[in-house]
Amino acid sequence: MRASPLRPWCRALAVLALSLAGCYGQASLSPQDGTPGGDDDPPVQQDGSLDCDTDAVPQSVTLQGIAEDFAQTVHPAMLRETSGCISCHATTTGRLFKVSTDGKETFYAARAAGFMKPESGSLLSRLATTDEAVRMPRGQPTWSKEEIATVARLTCQLAAVESRQPESKPDEEFPLALLQPYTGPSVATYDNSFIGFEQLKGKVKSIFNDAWVRNGEDRFAQNVGLFGGVDYKDHFVEARAASADFFLGLDDLSRDVCLVAATNKTGPFAGLDLAQPLVDVPAPTSKQYEMELAVRADAASIPAGTQIIASTGQKSGTTGWDLYTTGSLATAQPHPFATSNTYRFTVKAKGDLCGPDLPHMQLKVDGVVVKEWDVSNNTAYADFVYTQVVAAGGHVLSVHFTNDYNESGVCDRNLHVDALNVYGPTEASTGTQRADAAKAKVDTLYRRMLYRAATAQERDNGYALVKDLNDIEANLPKAWSGLCEGLLRAPDFLFTLPPSYEALSGKERDRLLLVKLAMDLTGRPPTAAEFTALESGTKSWEDMVDAYLESPDFKTYYFQRMRVRTESEGTPDTDEPARLWTHLVSEGKPFQELLTGDYSVDDTYKQVERTPEHGKTGVLTMKGFIKNKPGLPHYNYAARVMTDFMGALYEVPSEVFDMRGAATAASTVDPTSICFACHQTLTPLAHQRLRWDDEGNYRTSDVEGKPLDDSDRGLVGIYAYKGQGMEAFATQAVKKEAFVRRTLNAQFALFFGREMRHTMDERTVYKRLWDVSQESHGNLKAVLKSIATSPEYLRR
C-alpha cells in the first residue's frame, strides 16, 4: 500500500539514506524502511509533502519503537544549543510545537499535534524548506541532510504503523507520553487559593450579614477595581492576587463592616457584651514612702534607689522630713498603678504653727492638685486620707508645703511629713475573670471569622490589642472593631484554604478544608448546619460534595465563574455561553455539547431550540461569543476558539502586527508566509465561520451577493477539522485530547486556582480525570466530585 504515487525524487532519498548506514544506526534509511527515492529532485517538496511506501515498512516496526528511535536520533538535535529547537519551543513557551527534555514525550506530543505527518505543515517541511522566512530553526544553521532524512524515515514509519492500526487518532487519545512516570525536577509552584471578588462578597455576607450597601450605594461595586473583580462595565478581567490595591479596598471594607457590627452587636459580635471591662481588679497592695529617706534635689549626687526627692528642707529628727520653707517631696520614679481604679492615699504629717493661718499641704498626681489640707496638729503626726480614681500606669506623686511664714524671734511655720502611703485598688479583686472573659470573646471572633479556635498566643495578642486600643480611645466597641479589622486581613481569612490548616489535625483540619470546599463550589463559607453535619458524622465528605453540587448556590456561583471564563460583557447575549456551561453541569449533560449542542439556554437555565442554521455548534455560533472577535483577515475569532477551547497559545511577533492590516486569507496559508505556522489552523477555521458575520448574524452570501464557501477549502493538509461550516469543526474538535484537557482544566482551576501540571508531576491527576470524563460520558459534576474527593485536594 502506498500513501501516494511515487515521485522521481524519492529514490534519491533512499540512495542518500544508504550512504549513511552505520553512522546513525537505526536512524539510517533503507528501502526496507519504506522511504521512497528519486534521482535529482530534493527528498521533500517545498510544501513539506512526502511520498511514503507504507507497505515496505516491516511489520516489526511499532509505535513504541518509533518513539524510542526518535528519542535517540532526533531529540538530541532538538536540545542542542546551536541549531536546536528547545530555545524557542520549550514547554514554557506559547508555541504550538513544544520540545520537552524527554525524547519520547516530545515525539508523542509532535504526533498528537499533527507534526509527524508526511504532509505540508509537518516538522519535516519546516526543517527541509529553503525559504528562510519559515525555515526552522529560524536564524540558525539548517539541519544536515542526514538529520532531515532521519525525520523523513520516522515520519513514513509512523504513517505505516497508523495505517495498520486504525484506532483513535493520536490527537484524540490520552497522550501516551503521559503514561510514563514523571522523572523531571521537583515542582516549586503553588496553588492560588487567594480569595476572589465573588468569594470575598460571599464571605462578608455570611459572617457579617452585611452586603456592604451604604445609603443605597453598593460599596463592593464601587471598589470592584481595587478587589480585582469583574463588573462587565468597566472591569472585565479578573485578578486574584494580594495586590496593594486589594488591601486599599480591604482597609475601607474592614473599617466599615467591623465597626457597624461591633456597634450593633451583629455578625461575629452577636450575643457578645462588648461593654464589659477588659482589665481585672488585682488584689490590693500597699506602698509606703518614708520621707526621712528623701534626698535633696540640689545634692551633689543622688544615690541609686532613692525613692523621694525633696526640693527644700531637711530630715526632721529621727523620722520624717521638715519642709522649713515652701517646697515639695516627690516620688523619684512614677508610682505604678496596676489598673485604672480607686486608690487610697494617706499622708502622715504635722505642722509648726505660726501666724494667723495653718500650714497648708497639697497632694498632687503628675503635678495636678487632687487634695488640699490645713494641718492643725503640731505635736504628733496625724493621717490625712484621700481616695482618688487613678488611671493605670505610672504617675508621679508629690506632697507640697505652700505657705511658709516666720515671725522673727517668735515663731516659724513649717510642714513635717513622715510618710506617704498608697493603697489599692480599693475595689474587690476580680482575679482574672475580666481578662478571661475578654479572651473568650477573642476566641469567639476567631471561630466566627476564621472558623477555628485561637491559639493561646493569639488570644493573648488579641486581648492585648483590644486593651491597648481602648487605652488610646476609651471606646470599647471601637476597640473590638479594631481586632475584627485585623482578622479580616489575616491570611486565614484571605485564602480559601486557611494556611493554619497545615498545623491542625482531626476535626479542626476537616473544618478548614470544608471552608475551602464551600468557597470553591458556592463562593461562600459553610453554614453552621453544614459544619455540624460533617463534624457529627451525619454526612460524609462525599455527601457534602454532592450536597454542594446540587445546591442553588453552586449553580449561581458556577455561572459567575463561567461568565469570567467566557469573558461575558454582562449582557443577555454575552451571558449565553456561560448559561450553556451552567446548564451542562447542572443537568449532567456531556461537556462536548459545549461545542456541539444544537440548542440554547434561557435565563432560567432551561434548554430552548435554536434555528436550524446553527446546527451542532454550541457556543461557537452564539451571537455573544462571536461579537468582538473579527474573522478574516484578522483571525481573532479563530484564535480565541483555539485558545479558549483547544488550549493553543499564540506568540505574535511585531512583524506580524505590522502586516496584519494588509493581510489576506491567501497570503496567510502560503507556506512561504511568516503566518503559516499558526494560520494553518486559523485560516481554515476562519473560512468555516464565514456564514456568520462579525456581529454573529447568519448569512448565505458575501457583501457582493456571491455564495459563501464555508468549508476549510483543503487549504492545509494536516488540518484536523476538515469539512463544511462550524458544525464540521465542532463535531471533530470535541473528540480532541486538547479540548478534553482544556475543559477539565476549567474545572480543576475552580479548586486550585491554576491549571494542571499535566505534563509534569500531575499527569496521574490528568489521567484520573480523563478516565472519569470518559466513564461518565462527559458529566462535569462527576469530574468536579472526582477533584473534590481526590488525594491532592484532601492533602493526603
Side-chain angles (χ1 to χ4, degrees), residues 595 620 625 629 635-648 650 685 726 729 733:
L595 300 190
L620 298 176
F625 180 76
K629 299 181 182 70
Y635 301 98
N636 295 76
Y637 174 86
R640 285 297 305 277
V641 168
M642 295 304 297
T643 297
D644 289 354
F645 301 110
M646 309 306 291
Y650 300 96
L685 174 54
M726 289 306 299
F729 173 85

Side-chain angles (χ1 to χ4, degrees), residues 729-743:
F729 173 85
T731 53
Q732 295 175 89
V734 294
K735 301 175 184 178
K736 305 302 182 185
E737 178 269 337
F739 171 75
V740 175
R741 172 167 32 91
R742 185 68 169 158
T743 308

Side-chain angles (χ1 to χ4, degrees), residues 27-60:
S28 62
L29 297 173
S30 69
Q32 288 73 30
D33 286 328
T35 305
D39 294 323
D40 301 315
D41 296 327
V44 182
Q45 289 196 20
Q46 185 67 35
D47 65 356
S49 61
L50 175 69
D51 287 327
C52 297
D53 184 358
T54 56
D55 289 336
V57 175
Q59 294 291 328
S60 59

